[in-house]
Amino acid sequence: MTSIPESAQTSPTSPTTIDSFATCQKEEEKSREDDQSLKPEVGSSPVTWDGPDDPKNPQNWSLHQKWVTTITISAVTVNVTFSSSAPSSATTRIIEQFLISDEVSYVITSIYLFGYVFGPFLFGPGSEMLGRKPVLIFSMACYTLFILGQVFAPNIQTLLVTRYFSGFFASSPMTIGSAILADIWAGKDRGLPSSIFSGSVFLGPALGPLVGGFVAESKLKWNWIFWVMFIFAASATLLMIVILPETCHMALLSQKAKRLRKQAETPEIAQSIYTEHERKAITFGEVIRLTLYRPFQMLAEEPILVLVTAYMSIVYGLLYALFEAFPIIFMERHGLSASQNGLVFIGVGIGSTLGAFLNYYLTETLYVPHYARWKGFPPAEYRLWGAMVGGPALVVGTFWFAWTGNYESINWAAPAVATIILGFGIFLIFTSFLTYLIDTYLMYSASAFAANTTIRSLVAAAFPLFTAQMFNNLGIGWAASLIGFIALALAPSPFLFFKYGAFIRTKSKFAPCVDLKIAKELEESKSPV
C-alpha cells in the first residue's frame, strides 16, 4: 500500500484534512481583556485558535450563523448561474436586434460558460491568500458591471465580450462556495448544506429561461432581460457584502496576528507573533505549479479524476443542451409559447430539489454512521450512493424525454415530467462525484476541482453550439437517445468505483488513502498480541 503523506496524517481527534479550510470569524468588537490573554511570549508557537472550542473558529459558530452564511453563498450562486441561461429565451429578439444568424446566437450562452474555464485558477488560490470575502466582493462587483455592458451593448461583438467576462468573474462564488462550506461545517455535518449549495448550481440555470421567457414575450425592450440580470446581480452582491463574514482561516489568523502585534509591548514581542503561512515563502513559480501545472498533471495521471470528469462533463453539458433542445421540442413540436417553454424548466428545479433531499438522506444514513469508526475519514466510496441512484435515473429520464418529445401526438406534459427525472439524476451524479473527489484527494482536492471545472465547463460551453443542429438533423428521438446511450455507458461508473475505487487509490500519487491506513490500524488492533 502506498505510504501516507505527512501532511495527511492528522490526529483522529483533530479536524479532518477535508476541513483544513476551516477558519474563524473576525468580530467587530473585542474586549481588551480577551486581547491581553492572547498575547504570546517571545519564542512562542504560531498564532492559532484558543483551543478546540474557540468561538471565533467558524467550526464553532452557532447553527444560526452557519446557516445564514450557507444560504447567502447559495443565493449568490443561484444568481451567477441564473445569468448563464437567462438570455436563452430572448435569443429571437437578440437575433432581430443585431441581425445575426441562429448559430451566432448560440454563442451567447457558450461564451459565458467559457468564462468559467479560467476563473477558478485565479479565484481559488486568491481566496486562500487574500481571504474569501475580498475576492468575492471584487469578482461579484466586476461581474455585475459587465452585465451593465450587456445592457448597453451597441453590437453583438460587445455583447459577447462582456458575456465572457461576466462568466469569468461569475465562476468565483462557485469556486469559493465549496471552500466556505468546508470552513464552517465539519465533514459529518456537511450533507444538507452541500446539497443546498449544489442545488443552487442547478436552480439558477432552471430559473433563467423561466424568467427570460416572460420578459421575451412582454412589450419591454430586448435588453430588459439583461436589466433583470443586473438588478438581481447588484442585489445579491449587496446582500453578500452586508451578511457574508470572512471564513478563511489563514486570513483570519493573519488579522488576529496583526492585532496582537499592534498591542505588543516591545518590538521583540511583536516579531515573535506570526502565523504559519506568514513564514512560508511562496515563489511565483510555485504558484504557477500549484494552480496551473498540478491540475493537468493530475488529469493526465489520475484515472479516477479522468473518469469522474468525463461523466460530470457529459452531465453538465446535458443540462445546458436542454436550453437549446427545449424550444425545439416544446415550442416547435408542441406549440408552446416562450413563457410556457420557460415554465417547463420548473421540472429540472423540482428534480434537483428531490435529489437534494435524497442526497441528504443517503448521507445521514449511509455515510455519517461510519464517521466515528473511521476516525473522521470514511472510505471515499461511501459518497457514491447518490450517483448509484442518479446514473440509472439519468438514463431513464433521457430516453423518456427523447421519445415522448419526438411525437406531436403525445401530450407535452409527458416530456415535461421527464425533466424532473433528468434534474433528479443530474443533481445526484454531480453532487455525489464532487464529494467523492474531495474525500479521495483531500488536500489536493482544489487541484482536482480546477481540472474538473475546466474540462466540464469546456464541454458545457460546446454543447449549446451543436445541440440545435443535432436535434434538427437526427430528429428529437435519436438526438436525445445519443446522449442517453452515452449516459448508459457511463452509468456503471459509481458501481465500479465503489468496488475497485480503494484499490485504484492505492496506485495514485495524489490520493492520501487515509482510510486505508486507519483500516490497517483497526485490523492490527484486532489481531492477537
Side-chain angles (χ1 to χ4, degrees):
M1 184 172 65
T2 56
S3 60
I4 308 301
E6 183 177 352
S7 58
Q9 297 178 13
T10 56
S11 169
T13 58
S14 67
T16 68
T17 311
I18 304 173
D19 299 321
S20 61
F21 294 114
T23 61
C24 89
Q25 178 194 28
K26 178 184 178 183
E27 296 180 353
E28 294 296 331
E29 297 181 359
K30 302 175 179 67
S31 68
R32 182 178 181 83
E33 180 179 351
D34 287 343
D35 286 332
Q36 292 292 336
S37 66
L38 295 174
K39 291 183 179 179
E41 298 179 356
V42 176
S44 65
S45 59
V47 173
T48 184
W49 311 126
D50 300 335
D53 299 322
D54 188 347
K56 301 181 183 68
N57 187 327
Q59 296 272 316
N60 298 324
W61 287 355
S62 67
L63 282 177
H64 175 266
Q65 192 171 14
K66 288 183 178 182
W67 276 114
V68 168
T69 303
T70 300
I71 297 301
T72 301
I73 191 60
S74 297
V76 173
T77 303
V78 168
N79 171 248
V80 297
T81 54
F82 169 87
S83 294
S84 68
S85 63
S88 64
S89 294
T91 51
T92 301
R93 300 185 66 177
I94 295 174
I95 290 172
E96 295 173 352
Q97 172 68 25
F98 294 120
L99 302 177
I100 58 176
S101 65
D102 290 343
E103 287 73 19
V104 174
S105 70
Y106 304 148
V107 180
I108 296 173
T109 298
S110 294
I111 197 70
Y112 187 94
L113 298 175
F114 191 64
Y116 287 177
V117 173
F118 302 103
F121 292 107
L122 175 65
F123 300 126
S127 72
E128 293 295 330
M129 293 185 284
L130 303 176
R132 316 285 189 218
K133 190 168 184 176
V135 174
L136 280 170
I137 291 175
F138 171 77
S139 59
M140 286 295 293
C142 292
Y143 153 76
T144 304
L145 291 176
F146 275 109
I147 294 178
L148 201 59
Q150 296 160 52
V151 171
F152 298 108
N155 50 54
I156 189 61
Q157 292 86 350
T158 303
L159 179 62
L160 294 179
V161 169
T162 52
R163 282 285 289 171
Y164 168 79
F165 282 106
S166 277
F168 177 84
F169 290 107
S171 66
S172 173
M174 292 194 296
T175 303
I176 298 174
S178 57
I180 289 177
L181 296 187
D183 289 341
I184 64 178
W185 295 99
K188 62 184 178 64
D189 301 323
R190 206 180 299 142
L192 184 57
S194 295
S195 295
I196 292 174
F197 178 74
S198 298
S200 69
V201 175
F202 297 100
L203 181 60
L207 289 175
L210 172 61
V211 176
F214 284 98
V215 174
E217 287 192 344
S218 70
K219 296 181 180 180
L220 298 172
K221 290 182 62 177
W222 68 273
N223 61 357
W224 257 96
I225 184 59
F226 297 104
W227 273 120
V228 171
M229 290 161 50
F230 174 76
I231 295 169
F232 189 10
S235 301
T237 302
L238 290 175
L239 176 70
M240 180 195 69
I241 292 173
V242 173
I243 295 180
L244 190 71
E246 179 57 73
T247 63
C248 180
H249 84 287
M250 290 189 292
L252 291 170
L253 289 177
S254 290
Q255 293 173 6
K256 179 179 178 180
K258 289 177 182 178
R259 186 176 75 254
L260 295 178
R261 282 194 286 265
K262 287 182 179 179
Q263 296 175 348
E265 296 177 356
T266 65
E268 290 76 13
I269 294 178
Q271 291 178 359
S272 71
I273 300 173
Y274 66 95
T275 62
E276 285 189 356
H277 72 277
E278 287 176 341
R279 293 293 175 92
K280 295 179 180 179
I282 301 180
T283 64
F284 179 75
E286 182 70 6
V287 172
I288 295 298
R289 186 183 73 83
L290 294 177
T291 60
L292 295 180
Y293 174 71
R294 182 190 284 170
F296 293 100
Q297 178 190 9
M298 293 179 66
L299 196 62
E301 299 177 357
E302 296 293 308
I304 288 178
L305 182 59
V306 170
L307 293 174
V308 168
T309 298
Y311 199 178
M312 292 179 63
S313 297
I314 296 298
V315 169
Y316 201 53
L318 173 59
L319 176 66
Y320 283 92
L322 294 177
F323 302 138
E324 306 300 333
F326 273 32
I328 297 174
I329 295 174
F330 294 104
M331 295 175 67
E332 296 179 13
R333 185 58 57 91
H334 289 88
L336 271 61
S337 65
S339 58
Q340 291 170 334
N341 176 69
L343 288 171
V344 176
F345 277 91
I346 293 177
V348 178
I350 293 174
S352 298
T353 302
L354 294 175
F357 281 113
L358 180 61
N359 181 70
Y360 172 67
Y361 174 78
L362 293 174
T363 300
E364 291 297 311
T365 56
L366 299 176
Y367 180 83
V368 173
H370 299 284
Y371 200 81
R373 178 175 181 268
W374 289 92
K375 303 178 181 180
F377 294 93
E381 288 70 33
Y382 288 1
R383 293 289 195 181
L384 294 173
W385 295 107
M388 293 180 189
V389 177
L394 179 62
V395 175
V396 172
T398 303
F399 284 108
W400 181 347
F401 180 74
W403 294 105
T404 57
N406 190 59
Y407 303 102
E408 294 181 10
S409 57
I410 299 178
N411 190 278
W412 64 268
V417 172
T419 65
I420 298 177
I421 310 300
L422 287 174
F424 178 78
I426 289 172
F427 178 88
L428 285 174
I429 294 169
F430 201 85
T431 303
S432 183
F433 274 120
L434 278 182
T435 52
Y436 180 57
L437 288 181
I438 293 176
D439 285 13
T440 296
Y441 293 109
L442 298 179
M443 77 288 293
Y444 299 117
S445 61
S447 295
F449 278 168
N452 178 275
T453 300
T454 297
I455 301 303
R456 63 181 165 85
S457 296
L458 283 172
V459 172
F463 261 71
L465 297 178
F466 62 78
T467 299
Q469 295 91 328
M470 184 173 71
F471 273 74
N472 288 326
N473 294 332
L474 297 180
I476 293 172
W478 286 111
S481 293
L482 178 61
I483 299 174
F485 284 122
I486 297 174
L488 179 62
L490 293 172
S493 298
F495 299 92
L496 295 174
F497 279 132
F498 190 83
K499 185 174 182 179
Y500 301 108
F503 173 76
I504 297 174
R505 287 190 285 119
T506 63
K507 308 298 181 183
S508 170
K509 295 180 181 179
F510 296 95
C513 301
V514 181
D515 60 304
L516 301 182
K517 179 175 181 288
I518 294 173
K520 184 178 180 181
E521 293 175 353
L522 293 174
E523 185 177 344
E524 291 176 350
S525 66
K526 294 180 181 179
S527 60
V529 180

